[in-house]
Amino acid sequence: MSNTQLQKLELLEWLANLQDQKLIDELMKWKESHRRVSIEQYNRELEEANARIDAGEYVTHEEVKKESKSWVSRK
């Protein structure tokens, strides 16, 4: 058995015994945010992003640099 397979088994055992509902909820959120999307969903998201860009709903690199400088000065 490979090291990866052993690690997966260890994680499965740990998860099976996990009682912390808050941690379980966080793990579920993480899992959902890291799921693969279908090619159709991917293309739909690209089309939506392009539509936002065409509508002028974006921030330029220069605007981000300017804004981030204010973050440093707030400290």
Side-chain angles (χ1 to χ4, degrees):
M1 191 175 290
S2 73
N3 188 44
T4 299
Q5 289 171 318
L6 289 171
Q7 288 175 320
K8 286 179 180 181
L9 287 173
E10 183 180 336
L11 282 170
L12 285 171
E13 183 179 338
W14 176 75
L15 281 170
N17 294 307
L18 187 59
Q19 299 298 316
D20 184 339
Q21 187 60 50
K22 188 174 181 180
L23 180 53
I24 292 169
D25 292 343
E26 289 300 315
L27 288 169
M28 292 302 291
K29 286 181 198 172
W30 184 88
K31 179 184 155 258
E32 183 61 25
S33 70
H34 288 80
R35 67 178 167 78
R36 291 188 179 253
V37 296
S38 67
I39 192 70
E40 293 83 8
Q41 177 66 27
Y42 177 77
N43 287 333
R44 190 169 32 256
E45 289 176 11
L46 285 176
E47 289 170 5
E48 291 169 0
N50 284 331
R52 286 192 305 273
I53 291 168
D54 291 343
E57 299 171 6
Y58 61 89
V59 179
T60 67
H61 182 246
E62 288 303 316
E63 292 169 324
V64 170
K65 285 179 13 181
K66 183 178 176 183
E67 175 68 21
S68 66
K69 285 180 183 178
S70 72
W71 302 339
V72 175
S73 65
R74 285 190 221 165
K75 288 185 175 182

